[in-house]
Structures are given as structure tokens and as C-alpha cells.
Amino acid sequence: MEIRKVVVIGSGTMGSGIAAHLCNANVPVTLLDLTTEISEKARERIKQSRPPLLIDKAKINNIDVGNIEDDFNVVKEADWIVEAVVERIDIKHNIYEKIFKERKNGSIVSSNTSSIPISVLSKKLSTEDKKDFCITHFFNPVRYMDLLEIVKSENNDLQKINTLKKFCELSLGKGAIICNDTPGFLGNRIGVFAMQIAMTEAFKMNLSIEEADATFGRPMGIPKTGVFGLYDLIGIDLMADVLKSFIKELPESDEFQKVAKEIPLVKKLIETGYTGRKGKGGFYRMNKIDGKKILEAINLETGEYAPSEKINIKSEKVDLKALINRNDKYGKYAWSVISKIICYASSLVPGITDEFNDIDEAMRLGFNWSKGPFEMLEEIGVVNFFDRIESYEGNKFLEELAKTKNEKFHGIRQKYTDIETLGKVKKTATNVDGNSSASIYRFNDYNIVEFTTKANALDYDSMDALKKATDKPLIIINESMQFSAGVNLTYTMEFADKGDFKSIEKFVRYFQETCKHLKYSDHPVVSAPSGLTLGGGFEVMVQSNFVASHTNIVVGLVETIVGLIPAGGGCKEMLARWLDTQEAKNDPHYAPMKVFDIIGYGKTATSPVEAEPLKYLRPKDKKIMNRNSLLDVSKKILTENQDFKPPKETIFNLPGKEVKDKMIVMLDKLYNDKIILDHGMVVAKELAHVLSGGDTNIDKSLTEEDLYKLELDAFMKLIETKETQDRIKHTLATGKPLNN
Ligand code: NAD
């Protein structure tokens, strides 16, 4: 059977997210709710959503809307019916009765419940109907969260479950993991437990919330929101409901019960409207003092707020062994939290799943951890773990492992999918090389470079690894979310602070040289971006020979926002792309003016559909829904291009002063209207100089080297100004640009 038409019932947060994502996969979908007005409003919310739920906003009307009284006959035609109504069993039972009366024979029916067991949901169904009923637990926001838990029962037609799994994997791009019918399934059972452990241990060990978040965050391979930040993000009241549901569903003896008890401070926060970011604030809040916004953090003992302290525990890289061996409160806290998570997760195998491997992957896909509990155990070292752990009595998994002390018990990754993923392939590399900013995996017939810095920011070492890896066909791809957020500005500013501009110049030159090498080396280079692909990250991608892009990509040249201009070939490549159009052939001003507008405003695109009109991506670049497939598609590109010949160098004929004057007239108007301010003018004029070709005219041919030189000179002029340095520092400190 094939899934060609879907009906989603319930158009709230989840129903609308699921419908939008089906629309992303070009599957006709109808969204039903109690009234058409509610589902129409949901469609409007989808349209306005940020980050956008739709890859292509123009397709919004491909989502049909209606109500469950007048339009229920659409269920007859659907191959899959997803129920996403409120978490109330009576309401869900009523809906199932209606669905199973109306649906066509053999269609799949699933619930998006987060807490009701399948046995309870399907209690009133006939044995025949139970064959086609399962749980499909999506995470919010549906487009961006990769985890999908599929819960089956012993009554299911397994072939059908497999069809659904394949559809969700390949068409919707989800990491679909099959799990047993237990409370919270895999992701929430372990993820929420981990949050509760991180929180209760912080109380017990007298850590401030900033200290806990600085430890239970990047140093553990966990997103930097930490635990208290994540609580605020999810909603403190919502978390309280989730905990109540776990307390109700889990047996008294479950370790979860000990950490799920209501905490007086949390109760008080909810009662006073401090429900997190959506409320007045939560563990953190923004306060205005003398007209200045100040981030404050709560004191766990007194409940009072004080300005939040920046904690740097000096552990930039994930190194769990070093972290738990630290002889300070951070080390002790880390060991306590990690060991408890490992003990709890392992105690649940095989009850919640036969594959412990799936727990790790659920944490990766659903909570963005870089490693799950079992991989953490392998990293810490099995012998090391058993030397330190005090008790694991009754934990069958650990008791078995204690017998073998097998340091390599984990085995292959991502067992839940048949796709040949980067996670799987990395482990089979015959030879691994690299440096502190990137790893090179070497195989017989190709290389892989994976960036390994924070947000995959690029520095001299990243370039070194890329250059070194072009001795064979090369795929540039990352397992972590971002392809690259751009050049490492902290690294650049370290030189600027010392007045060492020579080193910055050397780095930019090396960046240019490497990108040129990527483009013209004898072997094909494929970039497989996903997530942030900005600034320098974009420049690496755009100077690769082929691109296989994930559909969740944020791409663009954003340098002007920090007072710089793209200098790694970004201006050059964008000019080349826009010069290669009919319009540019008719009008020599067309390409420079277009690129001036795009780079000048630091425009970004949030999907390939938005990226193509800007020419950040080309129609021939591959666009892929499932991030797991990026490697497979990249490898196919290499196979199809075995007789690869590097491209011919581009020649640029640019109008010079003529078009630069035109740009400056435009800038003067923006300046007079106070849309751009003093330093904005300086930056824009440098950009105008580069994009017009500098001191040239339309009959003069410029080479790529000429363009690189123009970019470098403009970049160096700007980085030497105090205003640009202030902008960079402000952005590094706050994560936000200075306005102008
Ligand atoms: P929601 O409150 O945002 O939306 C529920 C929708 O159901 C509302 O639009 C409501 O009008 C509609 N509804 C109520 N009764 C109905 C009926 N009889 N027929 C048709 N529509 C009806 O809820 P949500 O957050 O989208 O959650 C939906 C389901 O997904 C729940 O089972 C929840 O447990 C689960 N879930 C939620 C999240 C999350 O983060 N919000 C994550 C995973 C799973």
C-alpha cells in the first residue's frame, strides 16, 4: 500500500505541525477540527510560524481544512488518518469510533498521544481494526524535530507498520524508531528523567542554575539551554503536567518517582505566572533596570532573582572522562548526573525497547544530545564506570556488562534505519586523520571531512583539513545540526585585540586559497549542508562542485550584519551566478545590483525553496528531506561523476565606477532616511567597491584572483575599524547584532 492522502484530526500545535510537514512532502492533507474556523486559524498560524513550518509558503493552500461534522467523509479517501486532538481518552475514543465507521478498509489510523498507552487507546476497537492502529509520536516543532516514535502493539499488521515507517523516513524525513508501549516511550522517558536528575542534583549539591546549565550543556554534548533554560523554553507548567502523568503511569518502585515530586519553588513559580519564556519569565527572566534589559537568574535557595552570571567551566570540547574526573563541584555534579542517567536508561532495557542503541538515537534525534547514555558509558570507559559506581543491583544490563567488562559493547550506530548514514559509516573508516577543528575519515575511494567546533565555526585548522582531504573525492558533511555558522569570529578577534592584523590577513588568504582548491582540485567535492550554512560556511558550500542540501537549511551571506563583507569568495561566486543570467547579458548593471541588494541586507533563506530565487542554491543542487540520507545521496553524486573534470575559471566583466555610483546614490537615500547609519555606509561602500569590480570597466576582464583580492582588501579595511570590532564583540557577547 502507498500513502497518497492523509487526514489529520485536531488542528492544535501538533496537528497543524503534522499537516504542514505532510504539505512539505507534497502529500495532499486535510486538517479537521471541531469547527472549520479553528482549522482555518490553524492554517493561518502555519503561514505565520517562525521558524517556518512550511518549506514553501506558497503551498499553504495545499492544506485543506474542515470540521468533523460536515467534512468527515474525507476520511473515506485517506490512506492514513492521524489523530492529534487533546490528550483526553474519552474524546479520543469518540473520534476513533467515528473514524473506524468511515475509513476505507486497510487504511492506517494513528494517534499522536504523548502519554496514553496503546492498550488503553485501542480498548474499544475490534481485533481487525487493531491491526491498523498504532501511535505515531511526533515532536514539536514537527518540521525541525527529527524523532518520530512509532508504537506498535502485538495486534498490528507488521507489514503495514513497516510501510508507515518507510513513508515517515523517506517522505517526511524523520528518524522513525519503533518502541514498546510504555509510558513516555523512549525520548521522553529518558529525556525528562535526565532533566529531573539534572535539576534535583543541582538543588542537592547547591549549584546555581547558571552553574548547572553550564555543566549539563555543551560539556556533556547537550544543547546549551541546559536544564533550567530548557524548563523555561518548554514551559514550567507543561513540565509539571508531564511529571504528573509519569507519576500516575509508572509503578511506585520506578526510580523516576523519586525525582518527579513537586518542588515547592517550582510550584510557586507556576502560581505566580512565572511559567517560563511564554510567561513572565521562569528560572531566568528579563528585567528592565534603568531602561536597560538585564537577564536575571533565580536563586534556588531563596527564590530571589539576581543578574545572571556567566559561568565558564572551561570545557569547550565534549570530553566526558575529563569532565567527571574534575576535582571540583562541576566534576562531581557531572558524574552524579551522568551515572544516574546511565543507570536508569540501562535498567529499562529490554522493557522499553530491545535495542539499547535506539535509546541513544532517540536522545540524539529528540533532544539534540550528541551522545546518548550508552555511548556516554562507552566514552567514560566500562572499567572506569564500574570502578566508580556504587550500586547497580537488580540492573540486568549492567550486571551482564560487569561480567564481560567489554569496552566496545556499543557496536554499530543507528540500527533503527537501513540508510547508510554518516553515523554508521564513520565507524568503518580505515583511517582517521584531522585536527582540533575537523576530522578526516579516509576510505578507499573517497574522504569525508566533518567539522567539529562549536556551531562548526571555521578557522585555520578547518581549512587545513579540507585542503588535505582533496587527495580523493571529498564529501563535506556533519552529523551535528549545523553545517557551519561561518568563520570563527572569536578566533579572528583574538588577533584583532592584539593588533595582529597580519595573521587575520594570512587566515583570510588561506581561506580563499582552500576554497579555490575545493573548486578546482582534480577530484569532485560535494558539500552536504543542513542547518546553519552562513557566511564562511556558505562560501565553502558554494565553492564545492556539487551540493546535496537538507530541506532544513538556513543559508546566506550575513557578514554585513557584523560590519564585514564576505571575503572567502562569497561576493565572487554570487556575482558569477547572477552574471550567468539572461538579464545580466542584457544589462551589465543587473548582476552587481542584485548581489549588492542580497549581501548588503545580509539576506538569509530558511529552505531551498527560498534559497533558489536568491541563487544561494541552484535548481540542480539536490534537496533532501531526510538528513540521514545526505551521505548516501552525496556518495551517489561521486559515483555518477567518476570522469569529473574541474570547471573552467570564471572571467568577470564588471562595469566599475558606473555601477558603483548608482549604488552610492541608493545608499545616500537610505542614509538620509536613517535606514543605514554612519558605519553602515562605510561597510556598504566597501561592498559596492568589490561588487562593481573596483577600478575597472566592462571591457576589462577580471579573474577570480582579482575578485579575491578586492574582497580581501575590503575585509581588511573593515576589520581594522573600531566600529566593526565593536559590532563583532557585541554579537559574540549577546548572540545578536548591533542595530545599524
Ligand atoms: P492542542 O491543545 O494544541 O490542540 C488540540 C486540538 O484538538 C485543538 O485544536 C482542539 O480544538 C482539537 N479538538 C478537541 N476535541 C476535538 C474533537 N473532538 N475533534 C477534533 N478536534 C478536537 O494540543 P496539542 O499540543 O496539539 O496535542 C495534541 C496531541 O499531541 C495530544 O495527544 C498530545 O498529548 C500530543 N503531543 C503534544 C506535543 C506537544 O508538544 N504539544 C508533543 C507530542 C505529542
Side-chain angles (χ1 to χ4, degrees):
M1 97 172 260
E2 252 185 83
I3 295 175
R4 290 203 209 95
K5 261 192 182 164
V6 182
V7 169
V8 179
I9 303 176
S11 66
T13 311
M14 295 311 292
S16 57
I18 296 166
H21 203 55
L22 284 156
C23 177
N24 288 336
N26 295 317
V27 177
V29 55
T30 308
L31 190 51
L32 299 181
D33 207 297
L34 291 168
T35 66
T36 307
E37 203 188 343
I38 303 179
S39 42
E40 251 163 17
K41 274 201 183 130
R43 191 163 56 179
E44 193 49 38
R45 266 201 330 272
I46 295 173
K47 206 166 141 194
Q48 307 297 341
S49 56
R50 297 238 58 93
L53 289 170
L54 286 179
I55 290 171
D56 183 359
K57 272 199 200 135
K59 290 202 178 141
I60 183 78
N61 289 326
N62 292 4
I63 302 174
D64 269 338
V65 292
N67 69 72
I68 52 164
E69 292 309 322
D70 308 323
D71 307 302
F72 211 74
N73 56 346
V74 288
V75 163
K76 257 195 195 105
E77 311 217 320
D79 304 302
W80 179 22
I81 301 122
V82 189
E83 170 274 304
V85 304
V86 281
E87 192 77 333
R88 267 189 41 197
I89 188 63
D90 52 335
I91 295 180
K92 292 196 192 266
H93 277 160
N94 282 342
I95 285 286
Y96 301 152
E97 198 185 332
K98 254 171 107 83
I99 295 174
F100 280 98
K101 254 192 216 151
E102 196 82 21
R103 67 145 192 170
K104 71 176 175 195
N105 237 348
S107 59
I108 301 171
V109 181
S110 73
S111 169
N112 195 58
T113 182
S114 29
S115 63
I116 308 175
I118 196 167
S119 50
V120 177
L121 289 172
S122 63
K123 207 165 67 187
K124 299 188 174 175
L125 302 185
S126 69
T127 316
E128 201 50 31
D129 288 348
K130 278 182 186 169
K131 269 191 190 170
D132 301 333
F133 181 79
C134 66
I135 292 174
T136 44
H137 184 233
F138 287 91
F139 281 63
N140 183 34
V142 178
R143 174 178 165 195
Y144 297 95
M145 293 304 293
D146 284 339
L147 180 57
L148 167 67
E149 292 170 315
I150 300 182
V151 186
K152 61 176 171 50
S153 73
E154 68 281 1
N155 304 301
N156 277 125
D157 171 349
L158 288 185
Q159 215 177 348
K160 205 160 277 173
I161 296 285
N162 256 340
T163 307
L164 181 66
K165 180 172 185 262
K166 277 260 147 359
F167 172 80
C168 292
E169 256 198 316
L170 300 178
S171 299
L172 300 185
K174 295 295 151 204
I177 298 186
I178 307 273
C179 34
N180 296 343
D181 188 20
T182 60
F185 318 126
L186 305 187
N188 283 344
R189 180 77 171 273
I190 310 296
V192 177
F193 176 84
M195 286 174 72
Q196 290 310 109
I197 278 291
M199 176 185 259
T200 49
E201 291 300 290
F203 272 98
K204 260 196 235 158
M205 299 173 97
N206 288 325
L207 258 70
S208 71
I209 67 169
E210 299 100 308
E211 288 172 333
D213 284 352
T215 316
F216 185 84
R218 286 228 173 89
M220 289 193 195
I222 288 170
K224 68 170 185 201
T225 37
V227 50
F228 293 98
L230 183 57
Y231 238 90
D232 283 354
L233 187 71
I234 296 175
I236 302 180
D237 50 343
L238 196 85
M239 279 300 293
D241 289 342
V242 171
L243 291 175
K244 276 185 203 140
S245 149
F246 273 117
I247 291 173
K248 191 169 137 243
E249 296 291 336
L250 291 172
E252 284 279 310
S253 57
D254 197 290
E255 281 293 306
F256 206 126
Q257 299 282 2
K258 291 188 192 150
V259 293
K261 291 198 179 74
E262 195 170 54
I263 296 171
L265 176 67
V266 173
K267 186 165 176 252
K268 195 177 141 213
L269 283 173
I270 299 171
E271 283 168 359
T272 51
Y274 282 90
T275 51
R277 289 197 200 172
K278 63 175 178 187
K280 294 198 269 184
F283 290 103
Y284 295 93
R285 73 170 183 194
M286 262 310 169
N287 201 2
K288 238 186 188 166
I289 298 174
D290 297 334
K292 254 186 133 181
K293 275 190 184 169
I294 294 189
L295 179 69
E296 296 185 330
I298 207 164
N299 180 312
L300 291 180
E301 244 174 273
T302 63
E304 303 289 323
Y305 287 94
S308 166
E309 276 181 57
K310 235 188 155 76
I311 306 288
N312 182 0
I313 76 162
K314 298 207 169 62
S315 169
E316 274 296 301
K317 289 249 154 180
V318 183
D319 182 347
L320 294 182
K321 238 189 222 165
L323 183 66
I324 60 167
N325 281 337
R326 280 169 71 130
N327 203 8
D328 59 10
K329 57 182 167 185
Y330 306 117
K332 290 192 184 111
Y333 173 72
W335 163 250
S336 187
V337 170
I338 293 177
S339 59
K340 286 184 170 68
I341 295 170
I342 292 173
C343 285
Y344 187 63
S346 54
S347 77
L348 300 177
V349 178
I352 64 171
T353 169
D354 295 335
E355 287 289 358
F356 67 81
N357 191 290
D358 284 350
I359 296 180
D360 284 341
E361 301 302 339
M363 293 314 296
R364 218 189 278 280
L365 295 165
F367 284 77
N368 290 328
W369 287 19
S370 66
K371 280 183 179 178
F374 297 89
E375 286 167 297
M376 286 184 176
L377 171 55
E378 195 169 82
E379 187 185 330
I380 289 169
V382 174
V383 171
N384 192 10
F385 177 82
F386 282 111
D387 281 349
R388 290 187 66 162
I389 193 79
E390 279 164 16
S391 157
Y392 51 90
E393 214 185 296
N395 183 324
K396 296 256 162 8
F397 183 94
L398 289 182
E399 282 171 359
E400 279 306 307
L401 191 60
K403 281 185 213 153
T404 63
K405 298 260 167 76
N406 179 2
E407 294 287 357
K408 293 261 166 262
F409 74 94
H410 194 275
I412 67 159
R413 291 261 323 273
Q414 294 172 307
K415 284 193 182 169
Y416 67 89
T417 176
D418 295 336
I419 300 169
E420 192 186 32
T421 63
L422 176 60
K424 287 182 191 170
V425 164
K426 265 187 336 192
K427 281 199 161 181
T428 64
T430 47
N431 198 338
V432 186
D433 191 1
N435 51 45
S436 63
S437 301
S439 300
I440 307 174
Y441 298 94
R442 292 176 184 279
F443 302 88
N444 280 341
D445 46 6
Y446 71 106
N447 288 331
I448 287 176
V449 166
E450 182 176 30
F451 302 132
T452 55
T453 53
K454 189 164 131 188
N456 290 333
L458 304 171
D459 58 20
Y460 209 92
D461 280 347
S462 330
M463 294 301 119
D464 242 5
L466 285 177
K467 207 157 184 205
K468 213 169 164 185
T470 50
D471 60 339
K472 288 180 185 177
L474 168 64
I475 299 171
I476 311 169
I477 185 170
N478 301 300
E479 240 202 312
S480 64
M481 188 118 68
Q482 325 297 4
F483 181 73
S484 168
V487 160
N488 185 344
L489 289 173
T490 311
Y491 166 83
T492 318
M493 284 312 291
E494 274 167 19
F495 295 121
D497 283 343
K498 287 185 281 188
D500 180 5
F501 294 102
K502 276 261 161 320
S503 293
I504 297 181
E505 188 172 341
K506 190 172 151 211
F507 166 58
V508 178
R509 264 188 214 281
Y510 192 50
F511 194 105
Q512 294 181 339
E513 204 183 300
T514 308
C515 288
K516 191 170 177 195
H517 185 70
L518 292 179
K519 191 170 171 186
Y520 295 111
S521 81
D522 289 339
H523 301 288
V525 175
V526 185
S527 270
S530 65
L532 298 181
T533 306
L534 299 173
F538 170 79
E539 289 171 316
V540 167
M541 180 198 86
V542 80
Q543 288 167 98
S544 305
N545 308 109
F546 302 94
V547 174
S549 168
H550 187 222
T551 42
N552 289 351
I553 181 176
V554 178
V555 59
L557 287 167
V558 291
E559 285 81 350
T560 52
I561 295 170
V562 290
L564 291 169
I565 63 128
C571 295
K572 164 181 78 83
E573 288 301 317
M574 287 299 282
L575 276 173
R577 287 184 174 194
W578 281 94
L579 282 168
D580 191 22
T581 55
Q582 201 47 50
E583 292 92 329
K585 287 186 180 102
N586 300 335
D587 171 10
H589 291 186
Y590 179 76
M593 290 305 284
K594 269 282 177 196
V595 181
F596 187 57
D597 179 60
I598 294 168
I599 300 181
Y601 284 109
K603 288 188 180 170
T604 52
T606 60
S607 73
V609 176
E610 286 178 18
E612 268 190 30
L614 297 167
K615 300 199 190 296
Y616 283 145
L617 286 176
R618 295 160 301 183
K620 68 175 179 186
D621 295 331
K622 300 264 190 278
K623 289 99 191 178
I624 299 134
M625 282 287 265
N626 191 326
R627 235 164 77 80
N628 276 337
S629 301
L630 288 178
L631 179 70
D632 211 29
V633 176
S634 303
K635 276 181 69 175
K636 272 200 197 98
I637 294 176
L638 292 183
T639 315
E640 286 162 10
N641 287 281
Q642 282 175 1
D643 52 358
F644 171 80
K645 296 263 175 315
K648 265 209 208 111
E649 282 212 29
T650 314
I651 297 295
F652 298 81
N653 286 83
L654 292 163
K657 189 172 178 318
E658 227 181 82
V659 73
K660 185 171 161 182
D661 287 349
K662 203 164 156 185
M663 290 170 184
I664 289 182
V665 170
M666 220 173 87
L667 288 177
D668 284 339
K669 178 161 181 348
L670 291 170
Y671 184 73
N672 289 334
D673 294 346
K674 298 202 166 44
I675 293 169
I676 45 177
L677 307 179
D678 291 344
H679 194 60
M681 277 298 270
V682 176
V683 178
K685 280 183 180 169
E686 287 300 333
L687 181 65
H689 185 70
V690 176
L691 296 176
S692 60
D695 187 14
T696 188
N697 61 58
I698 199 73
D699 300 320
K700 211 166 135 185
S701 291
L702 300 176
T703 62
E704 293 201 26
E705 277 308 320
D706 295 329
L707 266 294
Y708 274 135
K709 175 91 176 52
L710 283 168
E711 287 184 3
L712 177 69
D713 290 347
F715 183 94
M716 290 314 299
K717 264 192 215 157
L718 293 170
I719 190 98
E720 285 178 29
T721 64
K722 184 179 172 306
E723 289 80 3
T724 286
Q725 290 174 20
D726 285 347
R727 272 161 186 71
I728 298 176
K729 281 184 192 157
H730 179 87
T731 308
L732 287 173
T734 62
K736 293 192 186 85
L738 260 181
N739 256 350
N740 57 7

